[in-house]
């Protein structure tokens, strides 16, 4: 069976699902529909809570029905969620979109990287994860360029174009080949408990997962939601935000060099460098009123997080020893998303009080993430 084509199909899916045309004005899009900043972060927290509830059941289902079928189902729901976002007109509509997105994220979590990991030759996966994330960023860049040149102030058109690209990604998912031997004879409960025991055995690795989640959530909240508020505070016009978004997206393409940097610098020094750079960027964003430094801080934060994602994915996949890979990765995701619920509420409350306070929260989280990485690495084989 030729499973090599899975890699190229997943590359195409990543590219198309990266083409979110409303990305440069995601917060403004919601505000124009009557949703406040706190409501946005509240919706994010509800979404993460639902992800936690669905993560492990979806992981078990994926190991039961296969990774391909899970990705096909998730891709179809993904398209439907984008239709809801396109038509949403208030808190309820955007909440429904995030509920559907939670179902998708829980379904795809661990499943996409498991399929990629098992489709790779030995030693190839770190590079493949880098390209996979790169193409998602290329999709974001393409959409940002078209937004600035073609879409402009027509927010609803941006939503409609996103529906089209996600529909194309769903079509590609039907061409995937299954890579997992599905074991239907073994009881689901026994398999899940085996995976849970494997995860719970290494307490320091659980601490590492929390630290990595701190960096990921800091990047997600600041570069997707709070960045636009920072731009406005520095006097940057909305018309220019599309071009800044392009610059930020280009910096996100650096993940393709993650494997090479890890080889050249070493895992420990490279990871600490990324945590440190992300923390510094948050401090800059908290203190500066300069347009240039604000944009520079956002770019540095996105660059650091993008370089870290392939390394994080490689560390997690190498740590899995159980046959039910998607289940174990879903358990990892539950811990990360649980962390995300707390950080989203913290960021939302801090930003409501004062935007610099939210940025300083990000700096503290990055410092804690570096400390947790050191604790894990000191005992890792």
């Amino acid at each position: 069976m030729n499973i090599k084509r899975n890699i190229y199909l997943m590359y195409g899916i990543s590219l198309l699902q990266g083409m979110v045309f409303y990305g440069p004005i995601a917060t403004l899009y919601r505000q124009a529909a009557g949703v406040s900043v706190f409501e946005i972060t509240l919706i994010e927290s509800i979404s993460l809570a639902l992800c936690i509830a669905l993560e492990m059941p979806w992981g078990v289902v994926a190991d039961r029905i296969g990774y391909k079928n899970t990705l096909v189902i998730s891709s179809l729901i993904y398209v439907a969620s984008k239709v809801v976002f396109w038509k949403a007109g208030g808190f309820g509509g955007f909440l429904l979109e995030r509920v559907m997105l939670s179902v998708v994220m829980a379904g795809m979590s661990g499943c996409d990287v498991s399929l990629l990991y098992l489709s790779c030759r030995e030693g190839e996966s770190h590079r493949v994860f880098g390209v996979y994330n790169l193409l998602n960023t290329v999709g974001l860049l393409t959409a940002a360029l078209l937004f600035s040149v073609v879409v402009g102030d027509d927010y609803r058109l941006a939503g409609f174009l996103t529906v089209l690209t996600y529909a194309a990604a769903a079509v590609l998912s039907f061409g995937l080949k299954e890579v997992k031997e599905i074991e239907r004879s073994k009881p689901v409960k026994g398999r899940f408990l085996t995976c849970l025991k494997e995860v719970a055995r290494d307490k320091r690795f659980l601490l590492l997962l929390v630290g990595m989640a701190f960096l990921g959530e800091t990047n997600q909240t600041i570069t997707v939601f709070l960045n636009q508020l920072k731009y406005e505070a520095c006097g940057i016009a909305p018309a220019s935000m599309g071009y800044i978004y392009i610059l930020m997206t280009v910096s996100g393409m650096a993940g393709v060099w993650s494997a090479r940097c890890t080889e050249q610098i070493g895992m420990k020094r490279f990871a600490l460098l990324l945590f440190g750079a992300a923390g510094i960027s948050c401090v800059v964003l908290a203190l500066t009123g300069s347009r240039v430094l604000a944009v520079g801080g956002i770019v540095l934060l996105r660059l650091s997080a993008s370089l870290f994602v392939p390394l994080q994915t490689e560390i997690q996949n190498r740590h899995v020893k159980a046959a039910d890979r998607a289940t174990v990765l879903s358990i990892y995701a539950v811990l990360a998303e649980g962390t995300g619920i707390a950080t989203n509420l913290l960021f939302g409350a801090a930003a409501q009080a004062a935007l610099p306070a939210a940025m300083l929260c990000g700096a503290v989280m990055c410092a804690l993430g570096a400390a947790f990485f050191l604790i894990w690495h000191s005992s890792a084989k």
Side-chain angles (χ1 to χ4, degrees):
M1 179 176 61
N2 180 20
I3 60 174
K4 186 70 175 178
R5 75 172 186 176
N6 280 347
I7 296 175
Y8 300 108
L9 285 171
M10 291 300 292
Y11 283 170
I13 291 169
S14 181
L15 175 69
L16 290 166
Q17 290 181 345
M19 297 180 71
V20 181
F21 289 88
Y22 56 79
I25 41 84
T27 299
L28 301 181
Y29 190 113
R30 292 171 171 88
Q31 286 183 322
V35 183
S36 70
V37 175
F38 182 76
E39 285 176 330
I40 291 171
T41 57
L42 176 61
I43 289 172
E44 286 293 302
S45 294
I46 293 171
S47 175
L48 282 172
L50 185 57
C51 275
I52 289 175
L54 295 174
E55 274 285 0
M56 290 187 281
W58 252 126
V60 173
V61 169
D63 284 318
R64 196 77 168 173
I65 68 174
Y67 300 154
K68 174 194 171 176
N69 290 335
T70 305
L71 288 172
V72 168
I73 294 169
S74 299
S75 296
L76 292 174
I77 300 174
Y78 222 162
V79 178
S81 75
K82 295 306 174 187
V83 173
V84 172
F85 186 93
W86 169 38
K87 294 294 186 180
F91 179 85
F94 288 106
L95 176 60
L96 174 61
E97 181 264 338
R98 296 306 290 186
V99 167
M100 296 176 71
L101 189 60
S102 298
V103 176
V104 173
M105 292 294 97
M108 298 186 75
S109 174
C111 204
D112 55 347
V113 295
S114 292
L115 187 137
L116 276 174
Y117 190 78
L118 296 174
S119 298
C120 292
R121 296 188 300 268
E122 186 175 354
E124 184 184 30
S125 56
H126 195 161
R127 181 187 61 80
V128 168
F129 292 145
V131 176
Y132 181 65
N133 289 302
L134 166 70
L135 289 171
N136 190 260
T137 305
V138 170
L140 282 170
L141 175 60
T142 303
L145 285 167
L146 290 173
F147 171 84
S148 298
V149 175
V150 178
V151 178
D153 294 331
D154 193 342
Y155 293 176
R156 295 297 176 178
L157 175 60
F160 174 69
L161 292 175
T162 304
V163 171
L164 298 182
T165 56
Y166 275 69
V171 171
L172 288 185
S173 70
F174 284 92
L176 295 170
K177 292 288 186 181
E178 187 54 69
V179 293
K180 175 179 171 54
E181 183 179 347
I182 304 169
E183 304 173 37
R184 295 187 173 88
S185 57
K186 189 175 180 180
V188 170
K189 182 179 178 181
R191 294 164 64 179
F192 173 74
L193 289 176
T194 299
C195 294
L196 193 60
K197 288 177 182 177
E198 177 189 322
V199 174
R201 190 176 297 119
D202 192 344
K203 302 297 189 298
R204 295 196 179 196
F205 189 75
L206 296 179
L207 198 61
L208 172 66
L209 291 174
V210 172
M212 294 191 295
F214 280 160
L215 175 57
E217 291 300 325
T218 297
N219 169 66
Q220 171 72 9
T221 305
I222 293 179
T223 68
V224 175
F225 297 109
L226 301 183
N227 60 336
Q228 294 152 50
L229 303 180
K230 183 64 179 180
Y231 297 153
E232 284 187 328
C234 292
I236 298 174
S240 302
M241 292 182 189
Y243 297 103
I244 298 172
Y245 187 83
I246 292 170
L247 177 62
M248 183 180 69
T249 304
V250 170
S251 69
M253 298 169 69
V256 71
W257 293 297
S258 177
R260 180 173 296 180
C261 291
T262 303
E263 292 171 2
Q264 295 293 323
I265 302 174
M267 179 191 293
K268 178 181 177 181
R269 283 189 293 176
F270 185 51
L272 292 177
L273 175 65
L274 296 179
F275 278 113
I280 290 170
S281 72
C282 292
V283 172
V284 170
L285 289 169
L287 300 179
T288 190
S290 164
R291 299 178 185 181
V292 174
L293 288 178
V295 173
I298 293 294
V299 169
L300 179 59
L301 179 55
R302 174 56 66 88
L303 178 65
S304 303
S306 298
L307 283 166
F308 192 75
V309 167
L311 176 59
Q312 175 178 337
T313 307
E314 180 72 10
I315 290 172
Q316 289 179 339
N317 273 277
R318 285 188 184 184
H319 200 262
V320 177
K321 299 297 184 293
D324 292 335
R325 179 173 297 274
T327 302
V328 175
L329 292 175
S330 290
I331 295 171
Y332 292 168
V334 166
L335 183 59
E337 287 156 3
T339 304
I341 290 177
T343 60
N344 272 328
L345 292 174
L346 179 60
F347 274 121
Q352 199 82 358
L355 190 57
M359 303 303 183
L360 289 176
C361 285
V364 172
M365 289 179 196
C366 290
L368 287 173
F372 293 166
F373 178 87
L374 279 174
I375 292 171
W376 168 77
H377 193 272
S378 66
S379 64
K381 294 181 181 179

